[in-house]
Amino acid sequence: MIAKRLLVSLAILFIVSLLVFVATLLLPGDPAQAILGQQATPERLAALREQMSLNDPVWVRYFTWLGGLLTGDLGYSAATGGPVTALLSDRIESSLVLMGLAALISIPVGIVVGTFSALKRGRAFDNASTGVSLVLASLPEFVIGIGLVALFSTTVFKVLPSVTMAPPGEAVWNHPVQLVLPTVTLALVVTPYIVRMMRATMLEVLDSGFVEMARLKGVPERQVVLRHAVPHALAPVAQVIAIQLAWMAGGVVVIEFLFRYPGIGQALVDAVTNRDVQVVQALSILIAAAYIVVNLLADLVGILTNPKLRTEKAK
């Protein structure tokens, strides 16, 4: 079953690479003209088109690009003239830091709050956490970010910077205070879904027969929850966590643009603005690959933690 999931993931990634390449081909206008401007001479346009391999057949360009992806050669940025890998390496690192910090906050908070909400079913804590999670889940990420900026970066509580202003060449995490608002915004977007799923699965597990049997045998309630209920509830929640982590790879674009955070989101916006096709293609396939890999890992966790799926695998 794991091999089948892996093959399906590779097939999806191949299809996504085709879609990304075709989508960039369908962009209106001439990339060389867009880069050089309206005052470019025909000679310079012809030279740039040759440099970007725009005169080659489409299928040659696709397989050349695909071969470069497999060997780690993402081409050269039309805007800067440098390798795309060098352009994106620092951006990818910064985005991974942002997403990692948000995950470190949202996953344990979501599991703990969802568990307590289920244990306190129908009480004040359950009602409050349910209401807050529903409100946060209904708000777009930019609304949450703007709300936090208005609250903590204006005259209300002017305690945190509203944008990231790290000097060029310096890592953004050298200024931890600038990471607070983007990280909290990303965590507030992801956490409500984990809370809701954890609460629902915990309620189902707490009402199951084996939990009731453990209670009838006199097992302490804390042991029932920690050893029997929570482990069985985590398998479905792992799928939701994986989906939310995968969402971060794409959703971080809006948040990075809002806070001027120097990650892949900001790089993607700049690449689209500058018509830097190589960078757009590289970031698109990178985000898609991250989404597929995270979902594959979630499937593996689900298989390893679900006895029924493990039995099917053995058969």
Side-chain angles (χ1 to χ4, degrees):
M1 181 175 291
I2 294 177
K4 182 180 177 181
R5 298 289 177 91
L6 183 60
L7 291 176
V8 171
S9 299
L10 290 175
I12 293 174
L13 194 57
F14 175 72
I15 294 172
V16 169
S17 71
L18 277 173
L19 294 176
V20 168
F21 188 80
V22 171
T24 53
L25 287 179
L26 296 178
L27 290 175
D30 182 359
Q33 187 77 63
I35 294 170
L36 295 177
Q38 297 298 324
Q39 305 302 323
T41 63
E43 292 78 12
R44 292 187 63 193
L45 287 172
L48 184 57
R49 291 193 185 101
E50 184 66 25
Q51 178 186 345
M52 298 174 67
S53 302
L54 296 178
N55 297 324
D56 293 342
V58 172
W59 64 271
V60 173
R61 292 164 57 188
Y62 170 73
F63 282 107
T64 301
W65 173 68
L66 188 62
L69 287 179
L70 297 176
T71 58
D73 180 11
L74 302 180
Y76 289 86
S77 167
T80 65
V84 174
T85 51
L87 175 67
L88 296 182
S89 58
D90 292 340
R91 300 298 190 100
I92 293 173
E93 195 174 4
S94 298
S95 290
L96 287 177
V97 169
L98 178 60
M99 290 186 287
L101 290 174
L104 286 176
I105 296 173
S106 60
I107 293 174
V109 169
I111 291 175
V112 170
V113 173
T115 301
F116 274 97
S117 183
L119 294 175
K120 306 294 182 183
R121 176 169 32 181
R123 299 182 184 177
F125 181 84
D126 181 32
N127 295 331
S129 64
T130 300
V132 172
S133 62
L134 287 175
V135 170
L136 290 175
S138 65
L139 294 175
E141 57 268 29
F142 69 88
V143 173
I144 296 176
I146 292 174
L148 291 177
V149 169
L151 187 60
F152 295 105
S153 301
T154 62
T155 54
V156 181
F157 297 110
K158 198 172 183 179
V159 293
L160 295 171
S162 59
V163 295
T164 306
M165 297 292 290
E170 187 174 347
V172 66
W173 50 85
N174 290 335
H175 305 272
V177 70
Q178 298 183 7
L179 291 171
V180 174
L181 286 183
T183 302
V184 172
T185 303
L186 200 54
L188 287 178
V189 175
V190 172
T191 304
Y193 299 97
I194 303 175
V195 171
R196 298 293 301 162
M197 190 64 188
M198 188 67 195
R199 179 184 181 276
T201 54
M202 274 296 292
L203 288 176
E204 183 178 348
V205 171
L206 289 173
D207 291 337
S208 63
F210 69 92
V211 170
E212 186 67 23
M213 181 62 69
R215 285 170 172 160
L216 291 175
K217 288 182 177 179
V219 178
E221 185 64 21
R222 174 176 295 184
Q223 189 172 339
V224 170
V225 173
L226 295 179
R227 288 194 177 183
H228 299 281
V230 172
H232 284 83
L234 284 179
V237 176
Q239 302 283 338
V240 175
I241 291 174
I243 292 173
Q244 295 306 309
L245 292 178
W247 173 88
M248 282 187 188
V252 75
V253 173
V254 176
I255 293 174
E256 289 185 357
F257 180 74
L258 178 63
F259 293 101
R260 299 295 300 172
Y261 187 85
I264 59 173
Q266 188 62 47
L268 183 59
V269 173
D270 293 341
V272 172
T273 303
N274 298 325
R275 191 62 188 277
D276 200 341
V277 175
Q278 295 285 354
V279 176
V280 173
Q281 289 175 336
L283 287 174
S284 300
I285 200 68
L286 178 67
I287 292 172
Y291 195 94
I292 292 172
V293 169
V294 172
N295 277 281
L296 177 62
L297 293 176
D299 288 342
L300 295 180
V301 171
I303 292 172
L304 295 175
T305 56
N306 191 321
K308 183 178 180 181
L309 293 177
R310 288 202 304 271
T311 304
E312 291 178 356
K313 175 190 171 187
K315 293 177 180 178

